[in-house]
Amino acid sequence: AQTVTQSQPEMSVQEAETVTLSCTYDTSESDYYLFWYKQPPSRQMILVIRQEAYKQQNATENRFSVNFQKAAKSFSLKISDSQLGDAAMYFCAPTLRGAQKLVFGQGTRLTINP
Amino acid sequence: DTGVSQDPRHKITKRGQNVTFRCDPISEHNRLYWYRQTLGQGPEFLTYFQNEAQLEKSRLLSDRFSAERPKGSFSTLEIQRTEQGDSAMYLCASSLAAGGTQYFGPGTRLTVL
């Protein structure tokens, strides 16, 4: 069974600074995908960034980047130059290549202080 | 660009009533997923369709729950004899390929009184 742990229930950061959200997971598979989604209050789930496990290069998407450590089963999200609009719940979600479904962590609530 | 849509957005019902939710995926996506999210938790997988075939169901999906995708386009999720524990946000997502990015709809918030 696959489990996902986000050890930081809440994080806060000053606007324009950098914050890192952690995620660890447990799987015996070698081929899978990993996603970070954000869910603003009362709004829908939005994809932030995606990583293929077979790729050694860490994914980046504008101000968002990941630190993927496959051996350690760690997949952290770094947000640079934080903006007020980044305030949301952030969920880490790996999926097995064959299993299709996303397995979500408990989430990290990110607050941006102006 | 039409995303995933869900209807209704909110549903309040009395315990014991039946409810049905609809999901319209992104038009070219052949994979459709249902998840349930309770307050303060991450979403949990319920079921998955590839075209019209329901290929996987979670143990969370009791016999009071049924999902269909009759023509491989929209999907419905029905809950019979609702219970207060069914109160949650029901999310639908769709994707184009295995391991592909799942795009989520706005969800249907169910409140069972």
Side-chain angles (χ1 to χ4, degrees):
Chain A
Q2 200 173 18
T3 58
V4 180
T5 302
Q6 293 182 247
S7 60
Q8 307 148 314
E10 296 185 359
M11 293 279 285
S12 65
V13 65
Q14 291 296 124
E15 193 176 3
E17 302 212 332
T18 296
V19 63
T20 299
L21 310 183
S22 66
C23 172
T24 58
Y25 57 94
D26 182 26
T27 182
S28 57
E29 301 292 323
S30 60
D31 192 9
Y32 50 92
Y33 299 83
L34 305 109
F35 300 86
W36 278 97
Y37 283 89
K38 69 181 276 191
Q39 189 176 38
S42 302
R43 297 183 64 183
Q44 68 193 74
M45 198 80 73
I46 302 166
L47 175 72
V48 174
I49 199 164
R50 162 199 170 102
Q51 172 81 42
E52 289 87 350
Y54 66 86
K55 288 187 177 179
Q56 293 187 335
Q57 187 173 6
N58 289 324
T60 63
E61 193 71 44
N62 300 317
R63 299 182 294 107
F64 300 87
S65 61
V66 299
N67 183 4
F68 175 49
Q69 304 286 332
K70 190 172 183 180
K73 296 177 183 175
S74 170
F75 182 57
S76 62
L77 174 70
K78 185 171 84 170
I79 306 173
S80 303
D81 185 25
S82 299
Q83 299 177 0
L84 294 177
D86 295 333
M89 281 291 286
Y90 284 80
F91 292 100
C92 171
T95 181
L96 301 177
R97 189 174 181 86
Q100 312 294 340
K101 61 182 179 281
L102 293 166
V103 180
F104 286 85
Q106 297 281 64
T108 296
R109 182 177 303 280
L110 179 64
T111 302
I112 312 295
N113 300 313
Chain B
D1 179 21
T2 304
V4 179
S5 62
Q6 292 187 245
D7 184 68
R9 296 288 304 276
H10 303 274
K11 179 71 176 179
I12 300 174
T13 191
K14 293 182 179 178
R15 185 165 50 94
Q17 298 295 304
N18 299 344
V19 295
T20 300
F21 310 141
R22 176 178 170 128
C23 170
D24 286 89
I26 294 171
S27 59
E28 64 268 26
H29 286 185
N30 59 7
R31 288 166 167 80
L32 187 147
Y33 310 79
W34 286 98
Y35 295 85
R36 182 172 69 186
Q37 185 179 24
T38 53
L39 201 61
Q41 303 294 316
E44 295 174 292
F45 171 78
L46 291 178
T47 190
Y48 152 67
F49 290 85
Q50 184 171 326
N51 299 312
E52 65 275 9
Q54 188 174 20
L55 297 185
E56 188 174 350
K57 290 194 294 185
S58 163
R59 283 172 290 180
L60 291 174
L61 215 65
S62 75
D63 56 6
R64 297 185 298 104
F65 287 71
S66 62
E68 293 183 341
R69 194 183 182 197
K71 297 182 180 179
S73 57
F74 73 92
S75 175
T76 58
L77 177 68
E78 181 183 17
I79 309 174
Q80 296 182 328
R81 305 181 305 281
T82 52
E83 302 172 355
Q84 287 185 325
D86 297 331
S87 295
M89 177 76 85
Y90 290 83
L91 299 172
C92 177
S94 69
S95 74
L96 187 56
T101 298
Q102 293 184 26
Y103 294 91
F104 282 81
T108 294
R109 182 170 295 284
L110 173 66
T111 301
V112 181
L113 301 177

